[in-house]
Amino acid sequence: PKGYRYGMRELVHLWMAEGFIDSCNENKRVEDIGKDCFSEMVSVSFFQPIGHGFRTYYVMHDLIHDLAESLSKEHCFRLEDEKVADIPCTVRHLSVRVESMIQHKQSICKLHHLRTIICIDPVKDDVSDVFTEILRNSKLRVLYLSLYNSSKLPGSIDELKHLRYLNIINTSISELPRSLCTLYHLQFLKLSLEVKSLPDKLCNLNKLWYLERHGSWINYPYNTTLPQVPNIGKLTLLQQLYNFSAEKQKGYELRQLRGMNELGGCLNVTNLENVTAKDEALESNLHRKIHLESLHLGWSYMDDINVEDNLHLEILEGLMPPPRLRGLTIQGYRSAKYPGWFLQDSYFENLETFELANCTALQGLPTNAELLGNCCSLHLRNVPKLKTLPCLPAGLKELSISKCPLLIFVSSDEPEQHDQLENIMNIDQLASNLPLITHVGPVSKTRDIIASEFSSLEQLMALMDVDMSRIENIRSVIEREEFVIEDSINAWICCHKERMGLIYGRSIRLPLVPPSELTKLYLSSCSITDGALAVCLNGLTSLRSLALIKIMTLTTLPSQEVFQHLTMLGDLEIKSCWCLRSLGGLRAATSLSDVRLYSCPSLDLARGDEMPLSAEELIIFYCVVAANFFSSGLQHLRWLNMVGCRSLASLSIGHLTSLAKLELVDLPDLCFIEGLSSLKLHLVSLKDVPKLNAKCISQFRVQNTLFVSSPLILNHMLSAKGFIVPEVLFLRNCKEPSVSFEESANFSSLRHLYLKECEMVSLPGNLKCLTSLTRLDILECPNISSLPDLPSSLQHIRVRGCERLKESCQALGESWPKIASIRCKEFI
C-alpha cells in the first residue's frame, strides 16, 4: 500500500527468496548485491528514507507507486476490503489487508501461479481452513503471516516443497511441527519470541541462510537468542548466527562452528568457560569465516574475578579471528597477557571497533600501535587493573571508559587541592541533600555507589602500597547489613577524602588527551579532576555527545572558554557526580540541545542562568531544584522531564512557549504550576504529585498523550470546562481498586487507552461510551478478571500479564463474546 514503510533488510531478504538477485558475482554475497541494488534505488529516489527513532525506513513516492502498480497489475495484487475486485488468475504475488480471510477463500485458492503471500494487517477470524487450502499450492516461495490465530503451525506445512521464506514474527505461533524440517529449500526462517523450542531435525534444512528470532519490531535487525538447535554445525550455509553459547551439555561444542564458513555480520560466542583446551578453540576455525564483520568472545562467570586464569590465554590463542574483522569485543577474560595474533603488526586490516569488558587481569592496552591504527571506536568497561592509556589513534571518534578505578587523569599544572577538599566538595550541602533525594529515589543505587567508592579506594591503596588499617572504621560501616543513610554518607565522605588525598598526592600526573576528531566521550566510574577535564575537552570541536557518570572527583565543569569551542556539542548527560557543585561555563555551549542531570546532590540548581539557551530537552532526576530555576531563559525548551526532585513547591513555566512535553514524576513538594493556560502541550505525564492542587490540574490542556497514575487527578481534568481527552490516555500504577471516568467529559478524540501495572479489580464500566476508541491495552493488571461492554469502534485489544483476564478472554470464556468481533487480539 501507499505509505508503507519498507525496511531494507526485510525487502532484500524477500528479493533473495524470490530469486530476483543475480548471484553470478563470486566475490560478493547475494545479500550485499541486494543491498547495493536497494541503495541504487534510493539514490534515484525510487525509495525515500525517513527516520523513526533510531531506525531508518523507506517509503515509495506516490507517483512511483502508481507506476509500479500499473506495470505489475498482471502479477501483483493487493487484496483489500475497501477495494473488492476479481483477482487476475495470473497473479504471482499477493498482499493481504482484509479483516476476514474466509470471505476471500475461493478467490485466493484459484491462484495456481501464486508465489508470494504477505499478510500486512492482522485478520480477525480463524484462518486455519484457508491456510490448509493455501498449503496445497506447492509453488509458494514466500509466506509472511501476521497474527495467525493459532499457537501451532499446521503440520501440513511440509506440502510447500518450494518454500524459501517463512516469516511468523507477527503471530502467536509458539509450536513448530516436525514436518517443517522437510522443507529442504527453505532459506529464511523468521520466528517470533513465542517460539521457545525448535524441532530436533531442524539441522536437516541444509539450505538455510537465515534463522532468526525477533520481537514484533521486524524491519530492525535486532535478534534475540535462539532456542537450542541440535547439530547446528550441519547448517553450513547459515549466514547469520547472532549468538552461539559454548555449552557442551547442550551439544554446542565450538567444533560445531567448524564448517560454518559462510557466517557474516555479528557473531557472539559466549560461555567460553566451558572450553577446557586450546585444541577445542582451534576447531572452531574462526579465522576462516572471512565474511564476519564483528566478533564477541565472552566468558560469563564472575566468581573469584581477581583470580588470573592462564587457560584463558590458551583459548583466546585458538580463537584467532579473520583479519578483515571490523569489530572485536573480549569479555570476561582473566589473563594479564594478550594472545600472539593480537600482537602481530598489521594482522587486522581494518579493525574499527574494539571493546574490553570485565577483563579483570589486564593492566594495559596492546602495545602494538598498528592494531588500533584504524580504530574509530574504543570501549573499556570494568577493566579494574587498567592503569594507563597509550596514545589514542588519530581517527578515534568514540571513546568510552567505565569502571576503571585505577585510570586517574590529573592535569600536570593543576594546583595541590586536597588540602582544601572540604571547601571544594561543599560537604554540608552534600550531607543535607543526599538523604532528601534518597528518600524518593532508589536506596539500593545509593548503597551501590557508596560501596563502589570504597572498593576504588581499596584498589588505589593497594596500588600505592598504603596501610589499609586506617580505613577499617569506614569498612565496618559500609559492610554493615543494615543500611543507615546518615552513617553511610558520613563513611562515604571519609572514604572520598582518603581517595582524593591519594589522587592529588601522586607524583605521576597523566592527562587525558583524546584526538581532536572525537565525536562521543563517555566517562564513568573513573577519576578525572576539574583541570584534567578542561584539558580533555579543550579543542574537541567535533564533539557531539558527552557523558560523565559517577565521577566523584569532579566539582565544577570547565569554563566558558572551553565550552565556547565545543560548537558541535548537542548532548550532555551528568549522572551521580555527587561532588559536582557547578555547571561552570556550560551556558557558552551554543549548540547544546539535550541536557540530562541525574542524582547530583551538591549541584546548585537555584537559578537557570547556567543552562544553555539552546536547550530543547531538559531531564532532571533526583536533584534539589529551587522554585525560580525556570524563571528566565530556555525559550527553545520543548521537553521538560523531572523525577524525584525536592524543594520545588511551585513551578513557573508560562514563558516556555516552545514547551510541548511536560513530565512530572515523584515530586512530593510540588503544589502549583504557573503559566499552564498559555501552553499548548502535546504530552503530559503526572505521577505521584500528591500536593498538586485541583485548580492547577484543571488548567491542563493536552493535545495528544496523557499519562496519569491517579484517578483523582484524571477526573479533575475530565471535569474541567473545555477539556478534551487527548488521542492517547495512559493510566499507570493506579493503586485504587476501582476507577470510573467522568461521563460528562469529551472523549471524542480518544483513540488509544492503556492501563498498566494497576491494582484495580475491574475496568471502568462506561468504556462502551468511548465511541472513538480503536485500541485497548491492558498490561500487568493481575486483579482484572473480566471485561465490561466495549465500544464497537474497537479494532485492537492487547492483554499481557493478566492471567485471570486472559482466561476469561479465551473461546467460551466469560469475556469472549465481547471481543469475538475485534479484528486484532493479542494475549501474552
Side-chain angles (χ1 to χ4, degrees):
K2 287 183 179 179
Y4 182 81
R5 296 185 303 182
Y6 296 89
M8 176 175 69
R9 188 171 184 271
E10 175 190 31
L11 193 55
V12 168
H13 284 184
L14 288 169
W15 290 345
M16 292 167 67
E18 301 283 7
F20 291 162
I21 300 175
D22 183 0
S23 57
C24 60
N25 187 341
E26 294 182 0
N27 296 321
K28 210 162 192 178
R29 302 174 67 141
V30 179
E31 183 173 11
D32 293 332
I33 297 172
K35 288 179 178 177
D36 290 344
C37 293
F38 190 94
S39 297
E40 186 174 341
M41 297 170 83
V42 173
S43 70
V44 297
S45 299
F46 191 98
F47 291 115
Q48 298 173 328
I50 57 170
H52 183 77
F54 295 106
R55 312 172 198 174
T56 298
Y57 295 104
Y58 299 85
V59 295
M60 189 184 293
H61 191 281
D62 284 356
L63 292 177
I64 297 290
H65 187 280
D66 290 341
L67 177 63
E69 198 168 43
S70 173
L71 292 174
S72 64
K73 60 185 178 184
E74 295 299 320
H75 300 290
C76 301
F77 191 84
R78 188 171 64 256
L79 185 63
E80 296 176 310
D81 284 331
E82 297 81 10
K83 189 180 70 175
V84 179
D86 291 334
I87 308 176
C89 61
T90 54
V91 162
R92 290 171 174 262
H93 312 289
L94 179 72
S95 68
V96 180
R97 297 191 75 194
V98 297
E99 289 194 9
S100 172
M101 288 277 282
I102 294 175
Q103 297 178 13
H104 304 278
K105 174 181 175 181
Q106 292 184 344
S107 300
I108 295 174
C109 294
K110 289 179 181 178
L111 304 177
H112 302 298
H113 301 285
L114 199 60
R115 299 289 186 274
T116 308
I117 295 179
I118 297 178
C119 292
I120 296 175
D121 291 340
V123 294
K124 72 177 185 181
D125 50 18
D126 186 346
V127 296
S128 54
D129 290 341
V130 181
F131 193 75
T132 301
E133 291 293 331
I134 290 172
L135 291 177
R136 294 177 182 173
N137 184 339
S138 60
K139 298 178 181 179
L140 207 64
R141 281 174 169 259
V142 171
L143 183 58
Y144 191 133
L145 299 176
S146 180
L147 281 149
Y148 178 61
N149 287 327
S150 173
S151 62
K152 296 182 180 180
L153 191 67
S156 52
I157 187 77
D158 61 347
E159 295 188 29
L160 300 179
K161 298 297 183 184
H162 296 281
L163 195 67
R164 301 316 197 252
Y165 181 106
L166 177 61
N167 187 323
I168 58 171
I169 290 171
N170 293 323
T171 73
S172 55
I173 293 173
S174 58
E175 296 181 40
L176 303 178
R178 293 181 180 178
S179 56
L180 177 72
C181 304
T182 63
L183 299 178
Y184 300 118
H185 294 286
L186 196 65
Q187 296 170 334
F188 299 86
L189 179 55
K190 305 198 177 195
L191 311 171
S192 76
L193 297 183
E194 299 296 313
V195 177
K196 300 296 191 290
S197 62
L198 299 172
D200 291 342
K201 302 294 183 180
L202 197 74
C203 60
N204 290 345
L205 302 179
N206 55 16
K207 293 187 178 180
L208 203 61
W209 285 348
Y210 291 86
L211 174 60
E212 303 175 356
R213 183 167 172 257
H214 293 264
S216 58
W217 48 85
I218 185 63
N219 273 338
Y220 183 61
Y222 176 72
N223 205 319
T224 63
T225 302
L226 282 167
Q228 181 184 353
V229 184
N231 298 311
I232 192 172
K234 292 184 178 180
L235 300 177
T236 56
L237 296 182
L238 211 60
Q239 299 192 20
Q240 198 90 51
L241 181 64
Y242 288 89
N243 293 289
F244 182 91
S245 178
E247 298 179 70
K248 294 180 183 178
Q249 67 272 25
K250 295 183 178 181
Y252 271 35
E253 299 96 340
L254 280 176
R255 67 173 65 95
Q256 294 275 4
L257 294 171
R258 183 179 183 85
M260 301 172 70
N261 291 332
E262 295 300 314
L263 286 177
C266 175
L267 175 61
N268 183 2
V269 182
T270 59
N271 293 314
L272 287 172
E273 65 274 10
N274 294 307
V275 181
T276 56
K278 180 179 178 180
D279 290 345
E280 291 181 49
L282 285 169
E283 286 192 76
S284 65
N285 274 351
L286 282 183
H287 64 286
R288 293 186 179 178
K289 302 180 190 342
I290 60 174
H291 301 295
L292 277 182
E293 296 179 7
S294 179
L295 178 64
H296 178 120
L297 301 172
W299 288 260
S300 61
Y301 52 52
M302 291 298 294
D303 57 311
D304 298 323
I305 60 172
N306 294 317
V307 177
E308 186 173 343
D309 192 333
N310 291 323
L311 179 61
H312 283 212
L313 178 60
E314 292 184 25
I315 293 168
L316 201 56
E317 285 278 10
L319 292 173
M320 182 169 66
R324 295 180 186 174
L325 202 67
R326 293 169 58 188
L328 175 63
T329 296
I330 300 175
Q331 182 173 5
Y333 182 61
R334 290 187 183 179
S335 174
K337 298 178 181 179
Y338 289 96
W341 52 263
F342 218 104
L343 303 176
Q344 294 177 22
D345 290 339
S346 302
Y347 175 74
F348 288 111
E349 299 174 10
N350 192 28
L351 190 65
E352 298 175 0
T353 300
F354 179 56
E355 178 176 357
L356 294 175
N358 301 330
C359 297
T360 55
L362 291 175
Q363 298 183 20
L365 292 180
T367 53
N368 57 326
E370 292 190 22
L371 172 74
L372 302 177
N374 295 312
C375 188
C376 58
S377 183
L378 176 62
H379 304 274
L380 306 171
R381 178 165 51 90
N382 193 23
V383 192
K385 293 186 178 180
L386 188 66
K387 300 173 186 176
T388 59
L389 287 181
C391 182
L392 297 172
L396 194 66
K397 302 292 185 185
E398 297 184 7
L399 175 61
S400 173
I401 302 174
S402 174
K403 294 186 178 180
C404 300
L406 299 185
L407 269 184
I408 299 172
F409 304 110
V410 183
S411 173
S412 58
D413 58 352
E414 201 161 5
E416 296 280 345
Q417 295 188 19
H418 59 278
D419 292 335
Q420 294 82 33
L421 192 60
E422 291 196 24
N423 293 329
I424 295 170
M425 283 176 54
N426 199 344
I427 289 175
D428 290 341
Q429 185 170 343
L430 173 64
S432 63
N433 287 352
L434 193 54
L436 278 177
I437 62 175
T438 303
H439 179 70
V440 293
V443 173
S444 59
K445 290 187 178 180
T446 302
R447 188 169 192 168
D448 290 344
I449 291 172
I450 292 173
S452 176
E453 182 82 349
F454 182 72
S455 174
S456 298
L457 173 62
E458 285 186 305
Q459 293 178 62
L460 188 58
M461 293 179 77
L463 175 68
M464 299 179 69
D465 196 23
V466 176
D467 180 16
M468 293 279 192
S469 63
R470 57 201 267 189
I471 62 170
E472 286 306 313
N473 290 338
I474 302 175
R475 183 195 306 277
S476 64
V477 175
I478 289 177
E479 294 182 352
R480 188 187 299 165
E481 186 172 338
E482 182 185 2
F483 182 73
V484 180
I485 183 65
E486 290 79 8
D487 292 346
S488 298
I489 290 172
N490 290 331
W492 180 87
I493 290 172
C494 295
C495 171
H496 186 69
K497 286 180 181 180
E498 288 279 353
R499 195 162 77 92
M500 292 298 289
L502 293 175
I503 288 172
Y504 280 110
R506 297 179 79 203
S507 57
I508 301 175
R509 297 192 167 197
L510 298 175
L512 174 61
V513 185
S516 59
E517 297 299 312
L518 197 74
T519 61
K520 184 175 182 179
L521 178 61
Y522 179 98
L523 300 176
S524 174
S525 300
C526 56
S527 298
I528 184 167
T529 60
D530 295 352
L533 182 63
V535 171
C536 172
L537 297 181
N538 194 30
L540 296 184
T541 54
S542 299
L543 192 68
R544 296 178 180 273
S545 177
L546 173 62
L548 303 169
I549 316 294
K550 299 178 185 176
I551 310 292
M552 301 304 181
T553 46
L554 278 182
T555 63
T556 182
L557 295 188
S559 64
Q560 291 190 12
E561 287 73 23
V562 173
F563 277 111
Q564 68 185 4
H565 295 295
L566 305 184
T567 54
M568 302 294 288
L569 184 63
D571 181 273
L572 172 66
E573 177 177 345
I574 303 175
K575 183 176 183 179
S576 297
C577 295
W578 283 7
C579 298
L580 184 69
R581 297 183 295 110
S582 169
L583 297 176
L586 186 64
R587 195 176 184 86
T590 54
S591 297
L592 192 57
S593 59
D594 298 357
V595 180
R596 299 183 296 280
L597 306 173
Y598 302 92
S599 190
C600 297
S602 299
L603 192 59
D604 184 8
L605 295 177
R607 60 190 191 283
D609 57 4
E610 288 185 337
M611 282 291 162
L613 297 174
S614 55
E616 297 180 5
E617 298 184 3
L618 177 58
I619 298 175
I620 306 177
F621 280 29
Y622 305 112
C623 293
V624 178
V625 184
N628 60 348
F629 180 72
F630 297 99
S631 59
S632 62
L634 300 175
Q635 297 297 320
H636 300 287
L637 197 66
R638 296 186 295 106
W639 179 21
L640 174 59
N641 184 356
M642 301 182 70
V643 176
C645 295
R646 300 302 305 268
S647 300
L648 192 70
S650 65
L651 188 62
S652 179
I653 58 174
H655 65 288
L656 304 179
T657 52
S658 299
L659 196 65
K661 296 168 65 176
L662 178 63
E663 300 186 58
L664 305 173
V665 179
D666 290 339
L667 303 180
D669 307 315
L670 184 63
C671 298
F672 193 74
I673 305 173
E674 299 177 15
L676 283 173
S677 58
S678 62
L679 300 178
K680 295 181 179 179
L681 298 170
H682 292 275
L683 180 147
V684 169
S685 177
L686 298 174
K687 179 188 171 189
D688 294 334
V689 281
K691 294 183 180 179
L692 195 61
N693 67 44
K695 181 180 178 181
C696 173
I697 294 169
S698 65
Q699 294 178 10
F700 276 99
R701 296 294 180 267
V702 189
Q703 297 184 346
N704 184 265
T705 305
L706 174 62
F707 291 76
V708 291
S709 62
S710 165
L712 184 63
I713 289 180
L714 177 59
N715 281 317
H716 276 314
M717 289 186 182
L718 297 182
S719 60
K721 184 178 180 181
F723 183 83
I724 300 175
V725 182
E727 182 177 337
V728 180
L729 176 58
F730 202 126
L731 188 61
R732 182 172 184 175
N733 296 121
C734 173
K735 306 299 182 186
E736 284 76 358
S738 63
V739 175
S740 61
F741 292 150
E742 180 69 40
E743 295 196 8
S744 61
N746 186 343
F747 288 100
S748 60
S749 298
L750 182 62
R751 300 287 184 273
H752 301 167
L753 175 60
Y754 294 87
L755 304 170
K756 186 173 182 179
E757 297 169 355
C758 295
E759 297 181 11
M760 63 182 72
V761 296
S762 62
L763 294 173
N766 54 350
L767 284 186
K768 193 172 183 179
C769 300
L770 310 182
T771 54
S772 299
L773 193 69
T774 59
R775 174 166 180 154
L776 173 62
D777 286 69
I778 309 169
L779 315 174
E780 284 85 48
C781 300
N783 299 330
I784 298 176
S785 58
S786 63
L787 295 172
D789 291 335
L790 301 172
S792 58
S793 56
L794 200 62
Q795 299 177 13
H796 191 153
I797 183 170
R798 180 166 64 128
V799 176
R800 186 184 73 198
C802 312
E803 293 304 316
R804 297 173 66 188
L805 181 57
K806 182 179 176 181
E807 184 178 345
S808 175
C809 290
Q810 300 303 312
L812 304 180
E814 178 186 351
S815 299
W816 174 253
K818 299 170 183 178
I819 62 171
S821 62
I822 295 176
R823 178 174 187 175
C824 178
K825 300 179 282 288
E826 293 182 75
F827 300 100
I828 306 170

